[in-house]
Amino acid sequence: MAEIIDGKKLGERIKEKIREQIPLLEKQYGRRPSLYVIIVGDDEGSMRYVNNKVNTANSLGMDARLITLKSNIYEKELINIIHVLNEDPLVDGIMVQLPLPSHINEDHVVDAIAKDKDVDGFNSLNVGSLWQGTHGIAPCTPKGVIQLIKTTGVPISGKFAVIVGRSNIVGKPVAKLLLDENATVAIAHTGTENLKAITSLADILVVAAGQEKLITADMVKPGAVVIDVGITRNAEGKVVGDVDFDAVKGIAGFITPVPGGVGPLTIAMLMKNTMECFLNHAEAHSDVSKLWATIIKARIGGHKQ
Ligand code: GUN
């Protein structure tokens, strides 16, 4: 029977470390890390997500603000607001909740965010850094996936990892982060023939396809680490992942539940990215600040790219 990976507990541990560091940072730099979250429109689900992000950041002692904009805002006006935040030295992190209304080009908006404030790690410069292995901000959910795998104690290096899903925000970056950990990586997708033949070879299986019960017990290698990134609401209104949890838990070595697996890590990693942006900004000031920022980064656990 698989061990259930408790994302909630791990997320709390990461946030607790951040909470402990913030008073020290405030003493040293005279200010707290700041995060600006922008939402366009009033979609109920998106609103719940952004409130959770802002409330979590504030509960850790950060200075987080929500900017709510009307759904008919022009793309140019939204980009102007981002430019103002880019220029403000008291702003460390900026994120714009997606999706945006259809008259706004999401790529233009995401790419308008300064590289060193892009806490989502979605803009082209950070995606380039991720793939080049140069310094940048990696996206939150993929970072969370790596942390979840690491808590199992199963070494990633040398293992065969299969990712089901090739999205820009999960599948592709997870593949690169696993590659950075020395895994051998395959990305499967909706066009893959005989998915089962590939998934059943995986020592590490990460599923991000958005399809309930896509992964059944016969598709999983005994003892594998199974990370379910899927999150959909099924016909009965229940929040479910992509993995047939009840069946697969009898085969896998480790498995994440939905909810309570990847979700809490995404938000914890957003907090961590905001801290890293703050420390990079603080670091830029002097050699002493640089040393202090390095110490804090080590305490909250640095990110290797
Ligand atoms: N919409 C759903 N998830 C996310 C996320 O992680 N970041 C942003 N910006 N929008 C989202």
Side-chain angles (χ1 to χ4, degrees), residues 53 95-98 120 122 266:
K53 290 169 186 177
M95 60 155 295
V96 178
Q97 185 69 14
L98 304 177
D120 267 325
F122 286 173
T266 297

Side-chain angles (χ1 to χ4, degrees), residues 66-220:
L66 179 64
I67 299 179
T68 310
L69 301 170
K70 290 220 160 64
S71 60
N72 62 356
I73 190 170
Y74 288 118
E75 180 180 306
K76 192 155 184 356
E77 289 177 286
L78 173 57
I79 289 177
N80 282 341
I81 292 167
I82 292 170
H83 286 160
V84 171
L85 296 174
N86 284 345
E87 292 302 317
D88 188 336
L90 298 180
V91 174
D92 297 301
I94 305 166
M95 60 155 295
V96 178
Q97 185 69 14
L98 304 177
L100 289 168
S102 58
H103 68 280
I104 299 177
N105 182 314
E106 287 185 355
D107 292 339
H108 293 172
V109 171
V110 166
D111 283 343
I113 300 172
K115 184 187 184 212
D116 61 310
K117 298 189 178 189
D118 170 34
V119 281
D120 267 325
F122 286 173
N123 88 19
S124 305
L125 294 173
N126 278 314
V127 173
S129 287
L130 176 71
W131 285 91
Q132 290 286 63
T134 52
H135 187 78
I137 303 164
C140 304
T141 301
K143 270 174 92 159
V145 167
I146 302 297
Q147 297 271 327
L148 286 163
I149 298 168
K150 285 187 173 174
T151 58
T152 65
V154 173
I156 301 174
S157 184
K159 294 292 191 297
F160 184 48
V162 173
I163 297 129
V164 183
R166 55 179 157 180
S167 71
N168 286 332
I169 59 172
V170 184
K172 288 184 212 162
V174 166
K176 177 59 168 66
L177 293 178
L178 284 167
L179 203 55
D180 290 346
E181 298 289 339
N182 266 330
T184 299
V185 178
I187 305 180
H189 47 80
T190 43
T192 299
E193 284 179 14
N194 201 353
L195 183 61
K196 175 180 158 182
I198 296 169
T199 57
S200 55
L201 296 176
D203 303 304
I204 298 167
L205 180 61
V206 181
V207 195
Q211 201 179 316
E212 187 184 8
K213 295 194 179 166
L214 175 67
I215 302 298
T216 46
D218 57 328
M219 298 169 81
V220 175

Side-chain angles (χ1 to χ4, degrees), residues 5 7 141-142 144-145 148 227-230 256-267:
I5 307 172
T141 301
V145 167
L148 286 163
I227 309 290
D228 190 351
V229 190
T256 56
V258 177
V262 175
L265 263 289
T266 297
I267 191 138

Side-chain angles (χ1 to χ4, degrees), residues 52-73:
N52 189 18
K53 290 169 186 177
V54 170
N55 292 340
T56 302
N58 283 324
S59 76
L60 300 185
M62 294 185 189
D63 179 10
R65 317 253 170 116
L66 179 64
I67 299 179
T68 310
L69 301 170
K70 290 220 160 64
S71 60
N72 62 356
I73 190 170

